[in-house]
Amino acid sequence: MSSTDADRHPPTALIVGASRGLGHAMAAELFDRGWNVIGTVRDATARTLLHDLADRSDGRVSVEHLDINEPTQLAPLHERLAPRTLDVLFVNAGTTNNEPTPIGAVPTADFVDVMVTNALSPMRVIEALEDLVSPTGLIGAMSSGQGSITNNTTASREVYRGSKAALNMFLRGFSVRQVQQHESRRAFVLMAPGWVGTALGGPDAPLTIDESVPRVVDVLLSRLGKPGLAYLDRFGQTVPW
């Protein structure tokens, strides 16, 4: 979409998990490209970077409250957003455990926390809000190159890897159902942004947010109008399942 088109008909993106890190940077990048942006934050009382962005956006960025691990919050969010049509719905969620712990020694509570946050909750959000997305829009989720089974040649981070592989499988199943039941023309994207220096990525990450996010947004926007599911890195290259 050209900047002229965006000026006439600003498209709208919902970024779930946009208070900081990659999600906030995606919201800011889309805003800078002429989009209207709705971003969600988990804590309804805390001031975040997204609030700062909204304050300077002249009404084009709005803040909603959603803890993705609280499914009872989804219906009220849907009701608040129902008058709007989304061109992009993107779920940015991620947590991890004590990463060196081998899978057989991972406490059940840690396993459940990572799996629910990284795999189940993003799909609950997508299932609950997908009807707000344009028939030719895009639905995506933040995956990871570490969700690739083929590329797992180093082990470690076993629960995190498993949670992202599970997310990949779940979104693939969802996309298939969309085609079978609704002959969907939407694009679906699992995004692997690279190892980025965020609160989750840590200080040893080789990429900065500024090095990753503009490329991530480029890839997402390039998929608009291209039906089907893709698992892509920040360069637009296919990541092996």
Side-chain angles (χ1 to χ4, degrees):
M1 177 174 293
S2 70
S3 60
T4 302
D5 289 339
D7 290 339
R8 293 197 195 106
H9 305 287
T12 299
L14 171 60
I15 308 297
V16 175
S19 62
R20 61 179 184 174
L22 294 175
H24 165 260
M26 290 178 66
E29 183 73 17
L30 286 164
F31 166 71
D32 287 343
R33 297 189 191 201
W35 282 60
N36 293 330
V37 180
I38 307 163
T40 73
V41 299
R42 183 172 60 182
D43 187 339
T45 62
R47 180 83 184 179
T48 72
L49 293 172
L50 184 66
H51 291 87
D52 295 340
L53 179 64
D55 285 349
R56 64 178 179 83
S57 72
D58 195 24
R60 290 200 295 112
V61 175
S62 58
V63 181
E64 290 284 350
H65 170 235
L66 177 68
D67 183 336
I68 65 168
N69 289 338
E70 296 292 340
T72 57
Q73 295 178 7
L74 287 169
L77 177 62
H78 184 283
E79 185 176 352
R80 294 194 299 272
L81 297 180
R84 307 183 71 170
T85 297
L86 305 175
D87 298 281
V88 168
L89 164 60
F90 190 87
V91 184
N92 173 57
T95 190
T96 190
N97 66 320
N98 184 5
E99 295 171 353
T101 307
I103 189 64
V106 172
T108 299
D110 288 359
F111 180 86
V112 171
D113 178 57
V114 175
M115 282 291 185
V116 169
T117 301
N118 291 3
L120 177 59
S121 291
M123 293 310 305
R124 282 176 168 163
V125 172
I126 288 170
E127 295 269 12
L129 303 181
E130 64 87 12
D131 66 311
L132 302 178
V133 180
S134 163
T136 56
L138 181 147
I139 295 174
M142 193 68 81
S143 184
S144 168
Q146 295 194 1
S148 168
I149 294 173
T150 299
N151 284 351
N152 183 6
T153 59
T154 60
S156 78
R157 306 194 76 188
E158 295 180 25
V159 177
Y160 181 82
R161 288 178 184 273
S163 70
K164 291 300 187 179
L167 173 65
N168 293 353
M169 179 62 79
F170 296 152
L171 189 59
R172 186 165 193 166
F174 175 81
S175 68
V176 170
R177 281 191 282 115
Q178 287 277 296
V179 172
Q180 291 176 337
Q181 298 172 8
H182 308 293
E183 298 182 353
S184 177
R185 293 176 290 129
R186 291 172 176 157
F188 301 92
V189 178
L190 289 155
M191 176 56 61
W195 184 8
V196 185
T198 63
L200 181 65
D204 296 328
L207 295 174
T208 67
I209 288 176
D210 289 342
E211 289 170 328
S212 173
V213 167
R215 290 181 179 273
V216 165
V217 172
D218 284 343
V219 171
L220 289 178
L221 298 189
S222 76
R223 295 299 303 174
L224 282 168
K226 298 178 181 178
L229 175 66
Y231 179 20
L232 302 172
D233 66 17
R234 68 188 184 280
F235 301 108
Q237 299 299 308
T238 297
V239 182
W241 297 94

